[in-house]
Amino acid sequence: EKHLTVLFALPDLAFPFFVHMADQAKDEANKIGDIDLIVADGQRSSPKETADVEAGITKGVSGIMISPNDVDALAAGIQEAVDAKIPVVTIDRRVNKVPGILGHVGADNVKGGEAQGQLIEKLFPDGATVMNLQGQSGASPAIDRNKGLHNVLDQAKDKYKFIFEDTAGFDRSKGLAMTESALAGMPKPPDVIVAANDDMALGALEALKARNLLGKVKLIGFDALPEALGQIKAGNMTATIEQLPGGQVRGALQVLVAFLREGKKPDQQVTLLTPIAITSENLDKAERLNEVK
Amino acid sequence: MKPLLRMSLISKRFPGVQALDDASLEVLPGEIHALLGENGAGKSTLIKILSGAQQPDSGTIEFGGQSVTFVSPHDAQRRGIVTIYQEFTLTPNMTIAENVFIGREPGLGVFVDWRKMASETRAITKRLGLELQPMSIVRGLSVAEQQMVEIARALSMKSRLIVMDEPTSALSSAEVEKLFRIIRELKAHGLSIIFVTHRLEEVMQICDRYTVLRDGRLVGSGAIANTTIDGIIRLMVGRQVNALFAHREKTPAGDVVLAVEGLNRRGNAQDQNASVLADVGFEVHRGEILGVAGLVGAGRTEMARVVFGADPFDSGRVFVDGRQVRIRSPQDAIRHGIGLVPEDRKQQALFLALAVRVNLSMASHQRIMRWGVFMDETAERAMVEEFRKRLNIRMASPEQLIASLSGGNQQKVTLARWLALRPKVLIVDEPTRGIDIVAKVEVHNLLFEMARSGIAVVAISSELPEVLAISDRIIAMREGRISGEIKGENATEEVLLSMMTLSAKAA
Amino acid sequence: MTESVHSEAQAPAKTDVFGFLARFAPLIFLIVLMTGFAIGEPRFLTPLNLFNILRQVSIYGLLAVGMTFVILTAGIDLSIGSLVAFAGLVAAAVSKGGVSNRFTVGAGQEAASYGWYLAALAAIGVGLAGGFLQGFAITRLKVPPFVVTLGGMSAFRGGALLFAAGGPISGFEPNFVWMGQGRVLGEVPVPVVIFVAFAVLAHVVLRYTRYGRQIYAVGGNPEAARLSGLNVRAVITSVYVIMGFFAGLGAFVLAARLNSAEAVAGTGYELTVIASVVIGGTSLFGGVGTIFGTVIGTILIGVLLNGLVLMNVSAYVQQIIIGIIIVLAVAFDTFAKSRRRVG
Amino acid sequence: MTESVHSEAQAPAKTDVFGFLARFAPLIFLIVLMTGFAIGEPRFLTPLNLFNILRQVSIYGLLAVGMTFVILTAGIDLSIGSLVAFAGLVAAAVSKGGVSNRFTVGAGQEAASYGWYLAALAAIGVGLAGGFLQGFAITRLKVPPFVVTLGGMSAFRGGALLFAAGGPISGFEPNFVWMGQGRVLGEVPVPVVIFVAFAVLAHVVLRYTRYGRQIYAVGGNPEAARLSGLNVRAVITSVYVIMGFFAGLGAFVLAARLNSAEAVAGTGYELTVIASVVIGGTSLFGGVGTIFGTVIGTILIGVLLNGLVLMNVSAYVQQIIIGIIIVLAVAFDTFAKSRRRVG
Ligand SMILES: Nc1ncnc2c1ncn2[C@@H]1O[C@H](COP(=O)(O)OP(=O)(O)OP(=O)(O)O)[C@@H](O)[C@H]1O
Ligand SMILES: Nc1ncnc2c1ncn2[C@@H]1O[C@H](COP(=O)(O)OP(=O)(O)OP(=O)(O)O)[C@@H](O)[C@H]1O
Ligand SMILES: [Mg+2]
Ligand SMILES: [Mg+2]
């Protein structure tokens, strides 16, 4: 067994979603054994994450796992790693431009947004009024999730009306304030509130609670955080989107280790896990259900 | 008699200078004690140590028979030592009353009683003969008024010793008289006073004893009654100095260079509608020194600033060499050959963090540029050297920070800044404020030399002897108006005083 | 910086137009803005919406009150967003009954859960400690406030992230949550009551106490204040401690309001809060400003955010408009003040 | 702010320890830091890593050079992060052959694609315009720089988001990309060359030209500068224009380096850049500072970020350490200077 040092570059460790990824990676690394895992925080900045990759190259890591902050902007950094003959596995978001990436394990954000849209279609086959809390302006997951949602619902524009759309910056208190303001300005509450992450959905939840609309307005989040799962269990939230981050990370690390220790290339270069909408009916499919106490 | 204060063998070093070198000072109860010395002799440093604002490197202080150490100004104040510093210590955006009672506001518990604060302030300003509203903001006051507020604050404190570091440098004779009256009153109540000034006549007039410092060392002390101005000067500079005020042979005045007509400007801090300048008009000739006399707040500074384009005006016309010119900024004024040496050196003239060389050349970059963009530092150094010689500026090197020069030398650099520009008209506002007697004579000589070289000099001064000594012609101002004009040789202090205090019509 | 003219609002009330304008410039600006929104969207003026606005600004408002003290001494505090996150997490952990079970999900009815007042005290304690540390660095190490609190911004955020280990802490006991979500007297949200109460207290302190005058004196001319016998270092340290107090209190109310605390809370608050204070007429150069102005400034920003959302202005355009209005509001105030008095 | 003491680096070089320390405090601090990292991780000192650090800091460095001009006049510019995003997007769109086909995917070999120099000019043009607007508001509306550029920060970000509504723009022609990713003389990254060239140019301007003199004068004492016949307004406006130039240039290099431009680029840069400048010994109160110091300050922050990652320090702890080191670096500089000259 060869001792390995693996760099895991993440876009933002201030967000629970990525922290969970990091925890899962550490756990998997322990399970596999004899792996030093270096976790680097890109702090939401592509140049910073590029610098993290470069630091990894300097350190001479055996392999790199990366969840890119932005697929285009990180291409240069990943190319450097590939050029330095360090195997790279991408997670979550796929970098097409760089040839020679060992593999990709991910669940597409656009697909996740589409799952939100499909759920709305399922819940309201006859149409609905939709309030959409978007993620941080300009950030690529925000753009992609929004795009997926619109991909689905815009096909039936006359049925599904976006009566309110604004960014709440992935932030819980903005989600709350925005929902309050929006509800105050609407003659009638929307049928469904859909948010680009669970944080904003949980903020909206507090606003709904204050106006006694809990359960009356459907509320859909994204990321399947334990807290959201708990609220779904309690019936206060309708759904969230599970991208199986733990599964992605574990799969990616296995691919990397297999290559480094046995020289085995993955069977398929790209492994896509399909994001699923978690509702009270399929809660058991959620990765982090065990964290709900 | 046992001294009230005994400072012994006080030393204080700043990087590069030994400001105090075993200096000592004794003050008796109920006396007015003059602390004297050239610029940079260490007077203010000694005072700051006495008031707890700075700590000495070595030495001891006894006050009221007890050995004391002051680690903060608060300590000294608690013991009854009250200081009026040379640099203003007012807070511009607060009211006069607040400034007077800062840190000692009257009131109940933690609360301030505004009404009481205002009435007590009014009482003190009355005593000083001032017409100031306790609730008006300090930032709008003239320099002299601010000085009076500083004095009011000192009077409002319970004290056994009041230290006054150059309180009169910003005052004209009328205010000085009021101040002296109060000082005598304080003395009569048994207080002691340390009095710093560069005007030695004042020392003769009011002080009981003196102490002279030179280069941070005690060089002499004694009773005023046993000495003369010349004797004090000898102690201060360490050699014989002859002329108090230099004299010069008068040259015939040339053509009119600058003429001002009907200048008006309204509005000040206290009153929007008051006139700061009302129908001001005057002429200056080539090679002439025009003295401008006036009481505090008479509008002399304002007139100078308006002519120089530093402040706007409402109406009026300015002519240079007979042609009307539009002056709306200092740049305009400079382009037409007008310069201004402002009243407040620190705030308005000096770049304290920059070298002497850079300060000196600031207004005349055009003269020492290469290819239109680069500074020619060789030429610049030559220029500094030229003025160092001509003006006898004492400095270690052109690269020395100007902050480390003495006041007199700073003033010479400021004058040099304008001479380098070769102006047609140079307005100097209180050109010898706060500089020692020797430097003052040098500055006067400099003004004479400027006049001789054909510059028209407008010299504003609150010191009547100075105005009388240097001017070919004198105008007096009162309440924003020109209240009189007189030829230099015909003028006396009495005549000028009456022009300054009587209304324009009566004059 | 540039030679802008500012002045105290305490000048004697004269009957001149510019004096009036100068004194009430931010209020006038606010009224104009509100009128605009009311015309554009009648629902803007409903009591429900106005209370929403007040509740939304109450946390910014508490921070802005603290920031007024800091800015009056010519200081600045960039660390408050991070400090709010940190203090909120600590309050949350306390409410959940200690650090070990901070991540248990549920409404916090566990036996070990501590009362809301302990949570509040914990948050305030963290705020005070953070503020004191920074005040100490500013006065003793003589590092400018901008730099110290920039360092604090990074360090407290790191601390918050470390403490939260990535996960939000949520689900508090009902009394805690009531402090953020409850209402009194029928309609008035509790956070608004807290905000108003502390704003009034701060106003009294600044306007009527010796300590308040000392703050203005230190801000107006620190050297003069020192020579007048004031303990300048203590005053400067104290304003950061006060800011810390308000950061802790704000963190507590924020956690209660969201029923949750997380490490990314408060990001970017510092700039919004500073903008509120400055719009309210407080000078960044120190010595000039009032709590009344700060309250107006805070509400102005809240109205702006709410009104633009109500009028359905695109999120991007909102940012542009907000940027421009901040500048215009301060320009208006500066203009009014400069006309009042000849500089 | 507080009474810290700063002074010009142009004082005569004397052979006193504190004078030397004061002059080279940031450099000494940097050397100590680098020694620490070199001991902890020998790979830190490899040429590859050192060039990486230089390349990583080159964009911050360009911005910091511009910021030095601004801070020398006692100003500040909080808008640069947003301006970088906006200018980068415009450059990207130009490179892709115009606004209409800015989102086409591919390496930009489309017929309509414009050359890299046009892209660079566009970015710089945007920067200059943004800087001028802000300088104008500061000098004419008399709004403090902090407020104007806070407004600009919001407004330019809104503009960038509006421009990039569809997401990042990426895939430029090879010459463009070379400006960010290429190397010359074997090893030296192009961005480093650009940074060094402009730093030298800025040094010459500040140290040897009349304009540089005027900047120090205006920063040191604006009133005295005005009374010496300097056009203070023009000088102040100009430094924001210069800052804008560097923001545009930085945006161009950043876009080239990442082969992509996005609306969220540059978030938070302003604070890192200001920290670099201040660590380099430039006083926030104006009139004191050098480009040399700024370069050192920038490298110091780059070294810190790189070294901590190399030594495998946990991400959260990194933030705490960075916060503390920023404060310590400035404290060391202040201390050294205060010993040289007492104020
Ligand atoms: N804070 C300081 N740092 C460095 N040098 C100083 C400082 N304060 C005073 N000095 C120097 O100490 C010496 C004594 O200065 P001081 O101000 O005591 O003189 P002074 O007698 O009051 O002069 P003046 O009549 O001009 O007021 C001078 O050389 C001055 O430059
Ligand atoms: N910056 C200012 N703002 C408002 N009012 C001012 C200002 N400067 C001076 N004044 C007022 O203008 C009037 C004229 O003052 P000015 O300074 O011109 O008088 P002066 O004759 O030079 O007296 P001083 O000896 O005090 O300098 C005074 O009443 C003063 O209060
Ligand atoms: Mg003195
Ligand atoms: Mg005057």
Side-chain angles (χ1 to χ4, degrees):
Chain A
E1 293 272 299
K2 208 165 83 183
H3 177 81
L4 299 177
T5 313
V6 173
L7 172 73
F8 187 13
L10 286 151
D12 189 358
L13 280 180
F15 273 94
F17 181 79
F18 295 112
V19 176
H20 174 61
M21 277 193 168
D23 292 343
Q24 294 285 307
K26 278 180 211 153
D27 189 55
E28 185 69 16
N30 280 339
K31 248 187 228 160
I32 298 174
D34 211 16
I35 298 176
D36 267 347
L37 192 75
I38 303 174
V39 178
D41 178 6
Q43 297 181 344
R44 246 191 275 195
S45 149
S46 302
K48 167 71 167 95
E49 201 176 9
T50 305
D52 291 341
V53 171
E54 286 174 346
I57 300 172
T58 303
K59 224 174 149 61
V61 295
S62 338
I64 293 176
M65 288 200 296
I66 180 170
S67 166
N69 184 53
D70 180 89
V71 292
D72 295 312
L74 261 298
I78 293 173
Q79 184 71 56
E80 281 178 56
V82 171
D83 292 347
K85 306 252 171 348
I86 298 174
V88 177
V89 179
T90 52
I91 295 174
D92 196 24
R93 300 169 211 167
R94 188 171 157 204
V95 179
N96 285 321
K97 283 202 191 118
V98 185
I101 291 182
L102 178 65
H104 172 77
V105 184
D108 199 318
N109 272 314
V110 178
K111 288 245 163 59
E114 285 171 355
Q116 287 181 318
Q118 281 149 5
L119 180 66
I120 293 173
E121 277 183 332
K122 204 173 110 202
L123 292 170
F124 301 97
D126 304 328
T129 51
V130 181
M131 167 167 165
N132 179 14
L133 293 174
Q134 298 161 321
Q136 197 214 344
S137 302
S140 75
I143 294 170
D144 290 348
R145 290 171 187 184
N146 190 49
K147 194 192 281 170
L149 179 67
H150 277 270
N151 280 350
V152 174
L153 296 186
D154 286 357
Q155 280 168 5
K157 270 203 159 108
D158 44 336
K159 280 208 291 188
Y160 299 101
K161 292 226 163 45
F162 285 92
I163 54 170
F164 181 92
E165 247 185 337
D166 206 332
T167 170
F170 284 142
D171 180 277
R172 194 179 297 212
S173 63
K174 284 202 192 113
L176 169 52
M178 193 69 75
T179 309
E180 275 174 357
S181 298
L183 290 178
M186 287 174 190
K188 184 164 133 328
D191 295 324
V192 55
I193 298 180
V194 54
N197 76 351
D198 281 340
D199 249 352
M200 294 188 292
L202 289 163
L205 186 144
E206 299 294 329
L208 290 177
K209 200 201 285 172
R211 301 201 48 181
N212 282 327
L213 290 171
L214 266 195
K216 293 179 195 140
V217 174
K218 303 281 182 211
L219 180 60
I220 303 174
F222 203 116
D223 285 348
L225 298 184
E227 212 184 331
L229 297 175
Q231 295 292 1
I232 292 173
K233 205 171 173 186
N236 296 331
M237 220 172 123
T238 314
T240 183
I241 303 299
E242 174 65 270
Q243 288 187 305
L244 304 165
Q248 293 180 39
V249 170
R250 288 172 195 274
L253 192 60
Q254 284 156 8
V255 166
L256 197 58
V257 171
F259 178 77
L260 288 167
R261 291 208 170 129
E262 295 146 36
K264 195 165 119 298
K265 292 219 171 182
D267 303 334
Q268 59 202 68
Q269 211 253 338
V270 175
T271 313
L272 282 184
L273 310 171
T274 317
I276 42 175
I278 301 284
T279 62
S280 55
E281 280 139 41
N282 59 351
L283 263 178
D284 54 316
K285 292 243 172 63
E287 216 177 79
R288 304 179 72 178
L289 189 60
N290 60 335
E291 292 178 44
V292 184
K293 290 180 194 129
Chain B
M1 202 172 354
K2 264 181 71 111
L4 173 68
L5 170 73
R6 178 184 281 146
M7 298 178 78
S8 325
L9 303 177
I10 307 275
S11 290
K12 173 82 179 172
R13 188 174 172 74
F14 294 113
V17 264
Q18 186 75 38
L20 290 174
D21 188 0
D22 285 346
S24 299
L25 173 67
E26 274 189 18
V27 178
L28 302 177
E31 75 163 347
I32 303 173
H33 192 102
L35 179 59
L36 304 170
E38 285 184 289
N39 290 123
K43 304 179 294 292
S44 297
T45 306
L46 193 66
I47 285 168
K48 284 187 187 146
I49 287 169
L50 172 59
S51 68
Q54 286 178 351
Q55 269 56 60
D57 299 336
S58 63
T60 56
I61 307 178
E62 277 173 47
F63 186 68
Q66 271 174 300
S67 164
V68 290
T69 42
F70 302 137
V71 298
S72 74
H74 187 68
D75 287 350
Q77 277 169 28
R78 235 185 6 217
R79 295 262 180 179
I81 299 177
V82 171
T83 307
I84 299 170
Y85 296 93
Q86 185 173 8
E87 310 295 338
F88 286 160
T89 58
L90 298 175
T91 305
N93 285 314
M94 296 177 91
T95 60
I96 292 176
E98 284 173 283
N99 270 286
V100 167
F101 283 101
I102 202 161
R104 310 167 292 114
E105 297 86 352
L108 255 182
V110 297
F111 293 100
V112 177
D113 184 342
W114 282 90
R115 197 163 304 169
K116 190 159 170 222
M117 195 157 83
S119 65
E120 289 186 12
T121 304
R122 198 187 307 275
I124 297 163
T125 48
K126 273 247 171 65
R127 198 170 143 206
L128 280 167
L130 289 180
E131 300 290 322
L132 291 174
Q133 290 297 321
M135 284 297 151
S136 55
I137 306 283
V138 160
R139 79 144 63 251
L141 303 183
S142 74
V143 179
E145 287 166 332
Q146 293 187 24
Q147 180 70 68
M148 295 307 273
V149 174
E150 295 263 1
I151 292 167
R153 173 164 69 195
L155 293 182
S156 74
M157 293 190 216
K158 260 177 88 112
S159 54
R160 295 168 71 189
L161 171 66
I162 300 185
V163 186
M164 302 185 174
D165 196 351
E166 300 195 30
T168 57
S169 69
L171 302 183
S172 63
S173 47
E175 287 85 20
V176 172
E177 273 315 314
K178 287 180 203 157
L179 177 64
F180 282 1
R181 207 188 62 230
I182 302 232
I183 288 180
R184 290 195 185 96
E185 256 172 49
L186 294 171
K187 179 183 166 182
H189 283 87
L191 270 73
S192 300
I193 286 154
I194 297 177
F195 188 78
V196 180
T197 184
H198 289 294
R199 302 180 182 172
L200 297 181
E201 324 82 77
E202 294 176 354
V203 174
M204 293 295 147
Q205 203 181 329
I206 194 162
C207 296
D208 302 314
R209 286 175 358 104
Y210 67 91
T211 296
V212 177
L213 298 180
R214 191 197 315 146
D215 297 333
R217 271 184 293 263
L218 173 69
V219 293
S221 65
I224 291 291
N226 304 335
T227 186
T228 59
I229 288 188
D230 280 341
I232 288 175
I233 294 176
R234 216 167 24 245
L235 277 177
M236 278 167 58
V237 303
R239 64 191 147 88
Q240 188 71 37
V241 175
N242 288 325
L244 265 194
F245 289 112
H247 287 284
R248 62 160 177 162
E249 67 282 23
K250 300 272 153 76
T251 46
D255 306 331
V256 171
V257 192
L258 173 74
V260 175
E261 273 181 26
L263 218 50
N264 284 291
R265 172 170 158 80
R266 307 177 76 71
N268 67 21
Q270 271 79 48
D271 187 354
Q272 273 300 313
N273 297 317
S275 285
V276 178
L277 296 177
D279 199 29
V280 167
F282 65 90
E283 293 179 342
V284 218
H285 300 255
R286 193 176 304 282
E288 176 188 45
I289 298 181
L290 174 68
V292 184
L295 295 182
V296 161
R300 296 162 298 167
T301 297
E302 203 46 53
M303 173 188 83
R305 287 175 59 87
V306 164
V307 171
F308 184 63
D311 283 339
F313 58 97
D314 298 319
S315 64
R317 295 189 294 173
V318 177
F319 300 84
V320 173
D321 285 335
R323 281 214 316 276
Q324 186 174 356
V325 294
R326 267 161 80 89
I327 295 181
R328 286 160 48 180
S329 70
Q331 280 151 289
D332 289 343
I334 289 169
R335 203 171 327 108
H336 291 112
I338 304 173
L340 171 70
V341 175
E343 155 177 66
D344 185 342
R345 223 172 15 243
K346 268 236 168 73
Q347 300 297 324
Q348 300 175 333
L350 299 181
F351 301 92
L352 291 172
L354 296 177
V356 170
R357 165 176 60 88
V358 179
N359 269 279
L360 197 151
S361 67
M362 192 57 77
S364 51
H365 287 157
Q366 275 98 342
R367 280 190 46 202
I368 44 169
M369 274 199 308
R370 248 188 306 187
W371 309 320
V373 279
F374 291 102
M375 299 304 297
D376 182 346
E377 289 189 10
T378 315
E380 193 176 27
R381 280 201 191 83
M383 182 163 112
V384 173
E385 181 57 22
E386 174 200 333
F387 283 106
R388 189 190 65 75
K389 279 197 199 125
R390 225 173 102 192
L391 275 58
N392 191 20
I393 302 173
R394 260 155 294 169
M395 59 187 180
S397 113
E399 304 305 317
Q400 195 179 349
L401 296 185
I402 195 145
S404 65
L405 291 192
S406 77
N409 285 302
Q410 288 176 347
Q411 185 70 347
K412 287 188 206 165
V413 173
T414 311
L415 284 164
R417 177 187 296 167
W418 290 104
L419 289 181
L421 197 67
R422 304 193 184 112
K424 293 178 193 158
V425 184
L426 186 62
I427 309 173
V428 291
D429 195 355
E430 311 284 5
T432 62
R433 143 97 66 76
I435 67 180
D436 67 45
I437 188 100
V438 180
K440 191 179 205 166
V441 173
E442 287 174 339
V443 167
H444 290 171
N445 284 328
L446 207 62
L447 295 178
F448 297 158
E449 190 202 315
M450 288 180 201
R452 204 161 37 238
S453 70
I455 298 175
V457 179
V458 179
I460 299 169
S461 172
S462 296
E463 233 182 301
L464 288 182
E466 175 170 87
V467 176
L468 290 169
I470 61 176
S471 312
D472 296 311
R473 196 155 54 88
I474 300 169
I475 55 178
M477 287 189 74
R478 182 181 178 276
E479 290 176 1
R481 293 170 192 280
I482 304 281
S483 58
E485 179 178 334
I486 190 167
K487 279 216 169 315
E489 52 266 33
N490 303 340
T492 63
E493 290 202 24
E494 291 68 39
V495 175
L496 281 184
L497 264 176
S498 75
M499 289 200 299
M500 285 154 53
T501 48
L502 295 176
S503 79
K505 281 175 201 109
Chain C
M1 314 193 184
T2 40
E3 344 95 79
S4 48
V5 181
H6 293 273
S7 49
E8 229 326 17
Q10 283 160 17
K14 293 231 182 93
T15 50
D16 65 318
V17 177
F18 283 116
F20 178 80
L21 261 183
R23 196 149 179 185
F24 295 109
L27 186 59
I28 295 165
F29 201 92
L30 174 63
I31 290 170
V32 170
L33 200 66
M34 288 184 73
T35 313
F37 283 134
I39 293 168
E41 166 60 85
R43 281 206 189 79
F44 175 80
L45 278 188
T46 56
L48 172 71
N49 191 51
L50 294 180
F51 274 124
N52 268 347
I53 294 177
L54 283 181
R55 186 169 53 184
Q56 284 159 16
V57 303
S58 57
I59 288 150
Y60 284 126
L62 285 171
L63 298 172
V65 167
M67 189 67 85
T68 307
F69 282 76
V70 171
I71 296 182
L72 277 175
T73 66
I76 200 158
D77 193 341
L78 300 175
S79 74
I80 51 166
S82 302
L83 198 51
V84 161
F86 196 8
L89 285 165
V90 172
V94 168
S95 165
K96 300 289 273 195
V99 172
S100 50
N101 44 354
R102 65 192 189 273
F103 291 128
T104 50
V105 178
Q109 285 93 347
E110 295 76 14
S113 155
Y114 300 123
W116 65 267
Y117 45 88
L118 279 182
L121 284 180
I124 291 173
V126 170
L128 292 174
F132 176 75
L133 266 177
Q134 298 189 115
F136 186 84
I138 290 164
T139 50
R140 297 288 154 169
L141 302 183
K142 306 231 167 80
V143 177
F146 193 98
V147 178
V148 169
T149 59
L150 184 60
M153 179 180 181
S154 178
F156 296 143
R157 182 69 66 189
L161 287 163
L162 211 55
F163 188 86
I169 306 180
S170 58
F172 310 130
E173 47 121 355
N175 290 331
F176 187 158
V177 177
W178 184 82
M179 301 300 292
Q181 300 186 353
R183 286 171 190 273
V184 288
L185 304 172
E187 274 297 306
V188 190
V190 177
V192 176
V193 177
I194 299 177
F195 169 41
V196 172
F198 279 94
V200 169
L201 180 65
H203 170 76
V204 170
V205 168
L206 281 181
R207 185 77 183 75
Y208 296 107
T209 69
R210 295 213 169 97
Y211 172 65
R213 299 332 292 168
Q214 294 186 352
I215 289 176
Y216 283 94
V218 167
N221 186 346
E223 182 59 11
R226 190 178 80 88
L227 294 176
S228 303
L230 299 188
N231 190 340
V232 173
R233 279 187 184 165
V235 171
I236 289 181
T237 307
S238 75
V239 296
Y240 292 90
V241 173
I242 289 177
M243 179 75 255
F245 171 87
F246 280 101
L249 184 64
F252 167 73
V253 178
L254 179 64
R257 169 145 162 66
L258 295 175
N259 192 7
S260 150
E262 52 182 340
V264 291
T267 312
Y269 276 25
E270 56 283 350
L271 295 182
T272 307
V273 166
I274 294 169
S276 310
V277 174
V278 176
I279 287 176
T282 299
S283 161
L284 286 168
F285 309 100
V288 174
T290 59
I291 293 290
F292 174 72
T294 293
V295 170
I296 300 295
T298 311
I299 294 176
L300 202 150
I301 291 211
V303 162
L304 203 53
L305 289 169
N306 173 281
L308 291 174
V309 170
L310 275 193
M311 307 215 356
N312 241 325
V313 177
S314 120
Y316 307 153
V317 178
Q318 277 184 35
Q319 290 200 37
I320 299 178
I321 296 180
I322 290 172
I324 294 172
I325 295 230
I326 288 176
V327 176
L328 288 185
V330 178
F332 179 62
D333 185 48
T334 310
F335 173 76
K337 283 182 178 161
S338 75
R339 292 310 292 268
R340 175 172 65 165
R341 216 122 61 72
V342 184
Chain D
M1 312 196 184
T2 38
E3 343 97 77
S4 48
V5 181
H6 293 274
S7 51
E8 223 332 17
Q10 283 165 16
K14 290 228 183 95
T15 51
D16 66 318
V17 178
F18 283 114
F20 178 81
L21 261 184
R23 195 148 181 187
F24 295 108
L27 186 58
I28 295 166
F29 201 92
L30 174 62
I31 290 171
V32 170
L33 201 66
M34 288 184 73
T35 312
F37 284 136
I39 293 169
E41 167 60 88
R43 283 207 187 81
F44 174 78
L45 279 186
T46 54
L48 172 72
N49 192 49
L50 295 180
F51 272 125
N52 270 346
I53 294 176
L54 283 181
R55 185 169 55 182
Q56 285 155 17
V57 303
S58 55
I59 289 150
Y60 284 126
L62 285 171
L63 297 172
V65 166
M67 190 65 85
T68 307
F69 282 75
V70 171
I71 296 183
L72 277 176
T73 65
I76 201 158
D77 192 341
L78 300 175
S79 74
I80 53 167
S82 303
L83 199 50
V84 162
F86 195 9
L89 286 165
V90 172
V94 168
S95 165
K96 301 288 273 192
V99 172
S100 49
N101 43 356
R102 65 193 190 273
F103 293 126
T104 49
V105 179
Q109 284 93 347
E110 296 78 12
S113 156
Y114 299 122
W116 65 267
Y117 43 90
L118 277 183
L121 283 182
I124 291 174
V126 170
L128 292 174
F132 176 76
L133 265 177
Q134 297 190 116
F136 185 84
I138 290 164
T139 49
R140 296 288 156 171
L141 302 184
K142 305 231 167 84
V143 177
F146 193 97
V147 178
V148 169
T149 60
L150 185 61
M153 179 179 179
S154 176
F156 295 143
R157 182 70 65 190
L161 287 164
L162 213 55
F163 190 88
I169 306 179
S170 62
F172 311 130
E173 48 120 355
N175 290 332
F176 186 157
V177 177
W178 184 82
M179 301 301 292
Q181 302 185 356
R183 287 173 188 271
V184 289
L185 304 170
E187 273 297 305
V188 189
V190 177
V192 176
V193 176
I194 298 178
F195 169 40
V196 171
F198 278 94
V200 169
L201 179 66
H203 171 76
V204 169
V205 168
L206 281 181
R207 181 74 186 72
Y208 297 107
T209 69
R210 176 185 192 199
Y211 173 63
R213 257 323 151 72
Q214 295 182 333
I215 288 177
Y216 282 97
V218 167
N221 188 344
E223 180 61 9
R226 190 172 81 94
L227 293 179
S228 299
L230 271 52
N231 190 338
V232 175
R233 278 187 185 165
V235 171
I236 288 181
T237 307
S238 75
V239 296
Y240 292 89
V241 173
I242 289 178
M243 179 75 253
F245 172 87
F246 279 101
L249 185 63
F252 168 72
V253 178
L254 180 65
R257 165 107 182 83
L258 298 176
N259 191 9
S260 148
E262 50 176 349
V264 289
T267 312
Y269 276 26
E270 56 283 351
L271 295 181
T272 307
V273 165
I274 293 168
S276 310
V277 174
V278 176
I279 287 175
T282 298
S283 161
L284 286 168
F285 310 100
V288 174
T290 59
I291 293 291
F292 173 73
T294 293
V295 171
I296 299 295
T298 310
I299 294 177
L300 201 150
I301 291 212
V303 162
L304 203 53
L305 287 169
N306 174 280
L308 290 173
V309 173
L310 275 191
M311 309 229 332
N312 210 354
V313 177
S314 122
Y316 304 151
V317 177
Q318 277 185 36
Q319 291 198 39
I320 299 178
I321 295 179
I322 290 173
I324 294 172
I325 296 228
I326 287 177
V327 176
L328 288 185
V330 177
F332 179 63
D333 184 49
T334 311
F335 174 76
K337 282 184 178 158
S338 77
R339 293 310 291 267
R340 177 175 63 165
R341 216 155 49 79
V342 181

